[in-house]
Amino acid sequence: AKVAGFSEATYIGLHAMVLISQKDGERISIREMAETICVSEAHLAKVVLRLAHTGLISQQEARAVLAKKPKEISFLDIVEAIEGPLENSKCVFGKSKCSREGCIFGDFLVKMTKEAKEWLRSKTLDEF
């Protein structure tokens, strides 16, 4: 079953970042993280590369460490590093005007995105 909301890469990234933060400044290998999370090492390596490009982690020889303090990294930072900015879009198709008279979702999408962003922003790595 697929979990709603984000790509598999984002869920992998969130779990990887928690694992990295739990190492308390000690580098952790991509292989160890992949085994712990039960995902492909190749897929995890791509996610880790994205996280490194955004400055959340430092990667060296397939080993990673946080580039900031855990309390300075929110789940929103991690999600946006992988998914890009979460915008308060009113349309799943990215249109400014609906082809129907009114959106079938009403204001649900706007509310859902706002609540998700607030929750993600409130969660930081130091909680784990």
Side-chain angles (χ1 to χ4, degrees):
K2 185 172 166 44
V3 179
F6 302 115
S7 67
E8 182 182 28
T10 295
Y11 292 113
I12 291 171
L14 288 163
H15 283 84
M17 289 294 285
V18 169
L19 286 176
I20 295 167
S21 74
Q22 289 174 337
K23 285 294 184 176
D24 203 27
E26 182 184 323
R27 289 189 179 273
I28 182 173
S29 73
I30 290 174
R31 173 172 285 154
E32 183 182 339
M33 284 190 284
E35 288 172 359
T36 303
I37 302 171
C38 298
V39 296
S40 151
E41 195 173 330
H43 195 174
L44 177 61
K46 290 177 188 173
V47 172
V48 166
L49 194 59
R50 272 196 233 171
L51 295 168
H53 280 307
T54 58
L56 295 178
I57 63 170
S58 169
Q59 182 191 6
Q60 202 172 31
E61 297 176 13
R63 300 179 71 76
V65 67
L66 293 183
K68 300 178 180 182
K69 293 178 181 167
K71 69 179 178 185
E72 296 173 349
I73 302 174
S74 72
F75 274 22
L76 183 61
D77 296 327
I78 300 164
V79 169
E80 289 189 333
I82 296 167
E83 299 277 340
L86 297 184
E87 298 176 15
N88 295 328
S89 176
K90 296 179 180 178
C91 179
V92 293
F93 303 115
K95 301 197 185 258
S96 58
K97 186 175 183 205
C98 193
S99 60
R100 299 176 37 84
E101 201 167 303
C103 179
I104 63 173
F105 293 107
D107 63 353
F108 172 74
L109 296 175
V110 174
K111 285 182 178 178
M112 183 177 69
T113 302
K114 184 180 177 197
E115 285 184 30
K117 282 175 75 170
E118 287 172 9
W119 186 86
L120 291 166
R121 190 177 286 116
S122 75
K123 297 291 176 200
T124 56
L125 291 178
D126 65 322
E127 295 180 43
F128 303 92

